[in-house]
Amino acid sequence: MYVEASSPLEVRQNLPPSHLHAHKPIVLLPPEEGTLIATFKARKMLPCQSWVRIKKPTLYKGDVGYMETSDEHNAVVIVAPRQRPYNIPEHANARMEFDVELARMANLILEPISSPTGAVIGYSCGGQEFIHGLLRLRLSVHHLEVVEYPHPDDIKYHITSEFNRKCIEETVKLFSAQFWREMDKVEIQEGDLKGMTGTLGDIDWDQHSATVFCENNALDCSLRELCRSFSIGDAVKVIAGPFCRETGYVVVLNKGLIVLVVMQEGGVTENMSLANKFYLHHLNVHRSRCRSSSCRATQRTMCRLAVLTITLLIWSIPLRRTKLCRAIW
């Protein structure tokens, strides 16, 4: 949600009740503790191992990258390259991973880049360094701004590469957690309570933690340990990936795979498969009981589609086909 206003007070006064929790309190700095902006910029330090948005140069303006190292003046940012040493005119200035085979076909000199453990993670080519297909870009810290929770579509090349898998998974989890609300069903994925499900309570964004109610017990869990849980029939919206902004109903849950049925124009339905549950969030319509005839008709249609989809999946199983189908119907 983006709010434009002349003052923080105006923002507070005009936020809808459903978004009051999204507003962070503002603490005014006493004048005696203030610092001139010019002095602050001169000693600007950005945290390493964080996500940043590039303001300059123009070619990479707006792109999001991972800041590998930095000092008071410069930083090394890992981004999806827009220029590569080999020339492909139709892909000029487009984000695309560095391809080692294309560089070799162009007879370019490749010098391996090794990790601290000695594994080859990339190559130096044409005066540039590429690791896991991504570019090490050296920029001034004044041309960068920190992005706390980047959208998965902005870092899709980092996600599909082998770059820092742990950091990527944590980033996607925290982005998804912004859409969680109290009373949501969550599952604990790490620790002694792995696999246990519960109901979400308060979320503390400063500590990246949340209260989860499991079997009448209140547990303090890290957001990194939690995963949103879905059920067949849930009304959901896709928040990232190729099907972003599509809405539908969950009809199949199979480990890491979720199948949605989407109502298109003219009453046509289409199935979509998602491999990442963090790219979904519940729609508000699912939280309240709708007594209108149109809503009940839609729910009945979704139920029939869910049964039909499950039945088709069962027909693909050669053993005990007849008994299972009779049980379903």
Side-chain angles (χ1 to χ4, degrees):
M1 182 179 183
Y2 175 76
V3 178
E4 185 173 346
S6 59
S7 69
L9 178 61
E10 187 179 350
V11 174
R12 269 199 301 269
Q13 291 174 340
N14 289 279
L15 275 177
S18 60
H19 288 73
L20 291 178
H21 66 278
H23 179 266
K24 294 183 178 180
I26 297 175
V27 179
L28 298 179
L29 186 68
E32 60 271 15
E33 296 183 15
T35 304
L36 291 176
I37 293 179
T39 305
F40 172 76
K41 286 187 174 181
R43 63 188 189 198
K44 182 178 181 180
M45 289 287 290
L46 296 177
C48 294
Q49 300 181 354
S50 60
W51 296 98
V52 292
R53 191 180 304 278
I54 300 172
K55 297 186 289 185
K56 291 182 181 180
T58 304
L59 180 61
Y60 287 93
K61 183 178 181 179
D63 287 2
V64 175
Y66 179 85
M67 190 159 64
E68 190 176 40
T69 61
S70 72
D71 56 27
E72 292 184 1
H73 306 289
N74 300 301
V76 176
V77 182
I78 309 299
V79 297
R82 289 187 176 273
Q83 287 183 337
R84 293 151 293 277
Y86 47 84
N87 184 28
I88 303 181
E90 59 269 27
H91 295 151
N93 298 339
R95 290 201 303 168
M96 188 174 296
E97 292 183 10
F98 174 75
D99 193 311
V100 177
E101 295 303 321
L102 290 178
R104 287 172 176 160
M105 290 173 60
N107 296 320
L108 297 173
I109 299 175
L110 296 170
E111 298 180 3
I113 299 175
S114 300
S115 68
T117 60
V120 176
I121 58 174
Y123 296 91
S124 294
C125 182
Q128 297 175 303
E129 293 184 354
F130 300 91
I131 60 172
H132 303 296
L134 305 173
L135 171 66
R136 274 180 172 157
L137 189 63
R138 288 167 173 80
L139 299 169
S140 168
V141 294
H142 303 298
H143 298 161
L144 304 171
E145 59 182 3
V146 175
V147 179
E148 195 168 5
Y149 308 115
H151 194 287
D153 290 349
D154 290 336
I155 57 171
K156 62 181 181 180
Y157 290 98
H158 297 77
I159 293 174
T160 56
S161 72
E162 293 300 319
F163 172 78
N164 202 337
R165 301 306 308 163
K166 183 177 180 181
C167 174
I168 293 294
E169 292 174 1
E170 181 179 307
T171 298
V172 173
K173 274 190 178 183
L174 291 177
F175 173 82
S176 177
Q178 296 178 102
F179 297 87
W180 296 354
R181 296 294 179 263
E182 290 185 17
M183 304 306 294
D184 281 347
K185 188 178 178 181
V186 293
E187 178 181 340
I188 300 175
Q189 293 192 311
E190 297 179 13
D192 297 336
L193 302 177
K194 183 177 180 180
M196 182 177 289
T197 58
T199 302
L200 189 68
D202 294 331
I203 297 179
D204 185 345
W205 281 103
D206 293 332
Q207 301 297 325
H208 285 170
S209 63
T211 302
V212 179
F213 298 99
C214 298
E215 300 177 354
N216 298 324
N217 294 320
L219 306 174
D220 291 329
C221 300
S222 170
L223 292 177
R224 299 169 180 85
E225 301 174 354
L226 301 176
C227 176
R228 188 70 177 82
S229 182
F230 297 92
S231 302
I232 292 177
D234 286 351
V236 294
K237 182 176 183 179
V238 185
I239 57 177
F243 303 113
C244 187
R245 292 183 292 276
E246 291 282 3
T247 59
Y249 289 80
V250 177
V251 293
V252 174
L253 291 170
N254 183 16
K255 295 182 179 179
L257 181 67
I258 296 179
V259 178
L260 307 180
V261 61
V262 178
M263 298 293 293
Q264 303 289 354
E265 293 183 2
V268 179
T269 62
E270 179 183 357
N271 285 358
M272 299 186 310
S273 298
L274 296 175
N276 197 328
K277 65 177 67 177
F278 296 109
Y279 290 175
L280 291 176
H281 83 93
H282 276 111
L283 293 176
N284 289 334
V285 67
H286 180 66
R287 298 177 179 276
S288 59
R289 293 184 177 180
C290 181
R291 293 182 172 84
S292 67
S293 58
S294 60
C295 185
R296 287 197 299 269
T298 301
Q299 290 174 349
R300 285 195 297 270
T301 302
M302 292 302 104
C303 289
R304 293 188 187 116
L305 289 169
V307 171
L308 178 60
T309 304
I310 295 171
T311 304
L312 291 175
L313 290 175
I314 291 173
W315 271 103
S316 65
I317 302 174
L319 298 177
R320 302 180 181 176
R321 180 181 299 164
T322 304
K323 293 182 180 179
L324 287 173
C325 285
R326 286 176 180 171
I328 287 292
W329 289 108

